[in-house]
Amino acid sequence: MGRVVKVRAYCSAANLGPGFDMLAVALNAYYDEVVIEVEDGRGVYVEGVEGPYASGSMLERNTAAEAVKALLEGFGVEALVRLRIYKGIPTGRGLGSSGASAAAAVAGVARLLGLNVDLSKLAYYAGLGERVSAGSPHFDNTSASLAGGLVTLTFDSSGELQVVRVPFKGYFSVVTPMNPVPEGKTGVMRSVLPERVSLSEAVRNFSRPAVMVAAAFNGDLELFGRLMSSDEIVEPRRSKFVPCYGEVRRAAFEAGALGFSLSGAGPSMIALAGSEREARRIAEAMAEACTCCDGPLVAVASPAPGAEVVG
Ligand code: HSE
């Protein structure tokens, strides 16, 4: 038997409205765990997937395995890696389920192999794994699940991913419709987005996440929430795929939400609240308005810790 570690990584809500691919928050609503075993040899194998959201297909093309392969290749390291995955995060719901498994797996492998790798590099390799589930890589979910809390990210002019943690306190109501979603849902939801937007649209929309980061630093939840609810480019094109989006959004604001957005590519929806009690009340109102599906999942969450060793 090789060296073994168990790593937990939490779900995440990416975008937070206008912060497409550049803002995400890890939430303590759901988590995945990955048991990672490393020994001499070569190859990356998923030996088991269990838990409420496990499926047989995860044994074949798996984001976590793909991410570990990218990490090993990036570092020019040979190892035999076996993964056993517990899926506690609903899959295909915009909660960064595949990103969380990938984050846990690369964090565990880097630790066992003693690789000198910082948060940004780990998030990069974990995000490459998303090619399997989303068709193209994205790095926001993996960054949040690795770092914990709120993160902002960009690629610098040399093409290196830069991930920065942002101090943030707040509560979220999370409502997850469980209707069937298309195969490769994130890829499909990315394909409905425009190739080009005008300069004025781009400036108006993407100045908002910049100010959201400042608002988070200043503890200004009202401003954060107002801007979170203001995406004009991505969310209007995706919200039509969530039949009860309008009703749930209205119910959230009527119940006192400070902000509202899709979580990642949806269909989960999140609302921002100033206290756990308010988040609970808002979550109930959102769930009641979520009539497009039977028994949506409902959770109240706050920013989660980053990927952590739990065994
Ligand atoms: N930023 C990605 C997207 C997150 O919105 O496509 C996917 O969960």
Side-chain angles (χ1 to χ4, degrees):
M1 179 145 166
R3 286 154 288 158
V4 183
V5 72
K6 187 201 264 189
V7 180
R8 176 180 297 170
Y10 286 87
C11 68
S12 61
N15 304 339
L16 295 156
F20 179 69
D21 280 359
M22 66 183 86
L23 267 188
V25 63
L27 295 175
N28 61 4
Y30 309 101
Y31 61 80
D32 285 0
E33 286 178 349
V34 183
V35 177
I36 302 119
E37 186 181 342
V38 168
E39 57 186 294
D40 290 344
R42 198 186 170 115
V44 180
Y45 301 97
V46 179
E47 300 224 310
V49 186
E50 58 180 39
Y53 302 105
S55 79
S57 64
M58 290 171 184
L59 287 170
E60 290 140 32
R61 283 175 58 74
N62 187 286
T63 311
E66 186 78 10
V68 171
K69 283 181 203 158
L71 176 74
L72 296 176
E73 208 178 296
F75 275 78
V77 174
E78 267 190 20
L80 173 58
V81 179
R82 300 180 212 277
L83 305 174
R84 287 198 307 279
I85 303 174
Y86 168 84
K87 292 297 305 173
I89 305 174
T91 53
R93 304 286 138 192
L95 292 171
S97 175
S98 53
S101 299
V106 295
V109 170
R111 185 185 169 101
L112 291 174
L113 292 177
L115 301 180
N116 180 16
V117 55
D118 64 13
L119 165 67
S120 298
K121 273 237 155 45
L122 267 187
Y124 175 73
Y125 290 115
L128 289 183
E130 298 274 22
R131 289 177 293 206
V132 169
S133 48
S136 59
H138 61 273
F139 304 90
D140 43 10
N141 293 117
T142 56
S143 297
S145 288
L146 275 165
L150 179 67
V151 293
T152 184
L153 52 142
T154 190
F155 281 88
D156 67 21
S157 54
S158 67
E160 289 225 359
L161 180 65
Q162 303 293 335
V163 180
V164 179
R165 263 201 88 166
V166 183
F168 179 78
K169 281 203 180 118
Y171 293 86
F172 290 90
S173 320
V174 185
V175 168
T176 302
M178 294 303 281
N179 315 31
V181 288
E183 178 78 17
K185 184 249 352 176
T186 301
V188 174
M189 288 300 125
R190 290 176 86 82
S191 74
V192 303
L193 304 178
E195 281 286 313
R196 291 192 157 70
V197 292
S198 72
L199 183 62
S200 60
E201 271 182 295
V203 170
R204 192 169 60 242
N205 213 67
F206 297 119
S207 53
R208 290 172 181 155
V211 176
M212 287 168 75
V213 168
F217 263 105
N218 293 336
D220 187 345
L221 280 190
E222 278 185 23
L223 179 58
F224 189 98
R226 205 156 70 239
L227 295 174
M228 167 185 164
S229 321
S230 67
D231 179 38
E232 294 176 42
I233 294 176
V234 174
E235 195 148 319
R237 289 170 169 96
R238 285 177 165 177
S239 54
K240 46 179 88 113
F241 295 92
V242 184
C244 53
Y245 172 90
E247 289 84 343
V248 177
R249 183 181 169 105
R250 202 169 313 117
F253 284 121
E254 279 171 11
L258 300 173
F260 179 92
S261 73
L262 284 177
S263 179
S268 293
M269 294 164 270
I270 54 169
L272 177 65
S275 72
E276 192 172 346
R277 221 178 66 178
E278 283 165 36
R280 212 164 285 290
R281 196 185 60 226
I282 295 162
E284 278 165 22
M286 288 166 70
E288 203 168 305
C290 189
T291 51
C292 66
C293 60
D294 292 332
L297 303 181
V298 185
V300 165
S302 51
E308 57 189 359
V309 173
V310 291

